[in-house]
Amino acid sequence: MDSTRVAELQQLIGLCKSNPALLHDSSLAFFKDYLQSLGGSVPEKPGLADHDEDEIIESDLELDGEIIDPDDDPPQKMGDPSVEISEERCDAAQLLKSKAMQAVAENNLEEAIDYLTEAILLYPSSAILYAARARVFVKMRKGSAAIRDADTALKINPNSATGYKSRGMAWSLMAQWEAAASDLRLASKLDYDEEIYSILTKAESNVRRIEEHRNKYERLRKEKEARRIQREKHHQSEKSRDPQVEDPNSLAVLRDGEVISTHSSDELEKKLKAAQNLSRVVVLYFTATWCGPCRTMGPVYTSLAEKYPKVVFLKADIDELNDIAHRLNVSGVPTFFLVKDGKEVDKVVGVTRIGLETMIKRHTGQL
């Protein structure tokens, strides 16, 4: 044997060893058939898992502003809303509030919290006192405590600008930018000031970045899913064309090269479904025991089944399957329907081997 050809054969075998998937290339079908004829086995085609893409890992998102950890102090004291408020209690609470504001001015924030807490216990229905304490908690960078006070202030007075402002500032400390922007917008509508504008500007900028980041990765995930679906469709399409991977359950229902008689609607539907699963063309022959021309076409139909083994040849008695015949408007026998992808696409009536075979060839691409 020519040494050059032996070397080429060795090279081919080496390639197939390193990448067995090459054996599924249509140009090497002859070689695969030869290996299998010797009793060899060929690895299955690579599945969808071999095409999996890398997992989408979101990049870090850089946002403006310093982030603090949520404070884990015990919840601050709250007033008893059932307490009856007298004029004396109200005056005492106002005095304590004034002392608290003085302590804030001197940067004695813990002292200010003590004064405001005492004031709240005296006058627990005052949204102003809760909102004021929330502002001090913000200055102390205790976001969770500030939010608890702001929530209470807004429950008492839903139109508390200071309540929305304090809660918005607390949310921004905790990097909850969307919540911060929402509260600060409301605060700005109720009582605009430069501090609200400054923090709101930063919050809205961060919200835009978050939305852009979220939309980007949502788009990437949708694109990845679309590619996966496309690969799956391609895989199914390849599978339907590859005789090596035909559905064994569907194959078991049919018999290549033979005429298959059906005696009930369920039996017929089962065989039609099996043929559809295998992407097989079906010829459905309606006959009758009393039909003379049918006796002439019987042997012809059998010979065509042997000639076209990948076409499914079904036979049904018009008297047994009268309901199906009526649905298909069968007016006489012999009648031959061609079924493709589960739909009747052509029909031949009468004793005509040439017409029947021409119809088969036309729909199997052999004309």
Side-chain angles (χ1 to χ4, degrees), residues 5-19:
R5 293 192 175 183
V6 171
E8 290 175 347
L9 181 59
Q10 287 176 331
Q11 185 179 13
L12 172 62
I13 292 172
L15 287 171
C16 291
K17 281 183 176 180
S18 62
N19 184 11

Side-chain angles (χ1 to χ4, degrees), residues 68-322:
I68 66 167
D69 293 328
D71 50 290
D72 55 3
D73 295 342
Q76 62 270 37
K77 291 181 180 180
M78 298 291 191
D80 180 358
S82 65
V83 170
E84 186 175 342
I85 307 301
S86 64
E87 188 174 342
E88 289 78 9
R89 293 174 74 98
C90 181
D91 290 342
Q94 290 301 321
L95 180 59
L96 289 166
K97 179 176 178 291
S98 298
K99 290 181 179 181
M101 294 304 99
Q102 181 61 38
V104 169
E106 296 170 358
N107 204 33
N108 295 323
L109 302 182
E110 290 285 358
E111 185 180 331
I113 291 294
D114 290 340
Y115 283 132
L116 287 168
T117 300
E118 192 176 346
I120 286 170
L121 294 175
L122 288 170
Y123 193 178
S125 59
S126 171
I128 293 173
L129 291 176
Y130 283 107
R133 192 171 65 172
R135 286 297 307 278
V136 179
F137 278 130
V138 168
K139 288 181 179 291
M140 297 173 70
R141 305 177 72 73
K142 295 188 175 183
S144 298
I147 288 169
R148 284 193 290 270
D149 271 350
D151 284 345
T152 305
L154 291 168
K155 190 179 293 184
I156 297 168
N157 178 13
N159 293 316
S160 170
T162 308
Y164 284 117
K165 178 179 178 179
S166 300
R167 194 169 68 180
M169 293 172 71
W171 285 129
S172 69
L173 286 175
M174 300 167 71
Q176 300 297 314
W177 298 109
E178 290 161 309
S182 176
D183 277 346
L184 291 169
R185 288 189 196 105
L186 288 169
S188 181
K189 289 180 181 179
L190 292 167
D191 187 14
Y192 175 84
D193 65 39
E194 290 297 327
E195 187 178 27
I196 292 175
Y197 174 77
S198 174
I199 302 172
L200 178 58
T201 300
K202 179 170 65 177
E204 289 182 327
S205 173
N206 285 339
V207 168
R208 282 193 296 272
R209 294 183 200 178
I210 291 169
E211 289 176 347
E212 289 169 2
H213 182 85
R214 185 184 297 142
N215 291 340
K216 171 187 173 182
Y217 285 96
E218 181 65 23
R219 186 186 75 252
L220 290 174
R221 280 187 281 270
K222 286 181 178 179
E223 289 173 355
K224 180 181 178 182
E225 178 64 10
R227 289 193 295 271
R228 185 195 67 76
I229 292 172
Q230 187 60 37
R231 285 197 305 272
E232 187 173 342
K233 287 181 179 178
H234 178 73
H235 178 71
Q236 292 298 331
S237 176
E238 288 293 316
K239 182 177 178 181
S240 68
R241 291 195 293 268
D242 189 347
Q244 299 298 320
V245 291
E246 287 184 326
D247 177 21
N249 294 326
S250 297
L251 284 171
V253 175
L254 306 175
R255 297 192 299 275
D256 291 354
E258 298 181 27
V259 175
I260 305 170
S261 296
T262 58
H263 303 284
S264 69
S265 299
D266 289 343
E267 187 181 4
L268 176 60
E269 291 298 332
K270 184 177 180 181
K271 287 176 170 53
L272 288 173
K273 183 63 177 178
Q276 187 176 354
N277 289 342
L278 297 169
S279 298
R280 298 277 187 93
V281 169
V282 177
V283 181
L284 174 56
Y285 168 31
F286 279 96
T287 182
T289 55
W290 42 262
C291 172
C294 295
R295 286 191 285 274
T296 301
M297 284 302 293
V300 172
Y301 196 59
T302 299
S303 67
L304 289 174
E306 294 170 352
K307 186 175 180 179
Y308 300 96
K310 293 303 179 183
V311 175
V312 178
F313 287 81
L314 303 179
K315 183 170 72 171
D317 189 299
I318 191 172
D319 295 320
E320 286 184 336
L321 273 72
N322 185 56

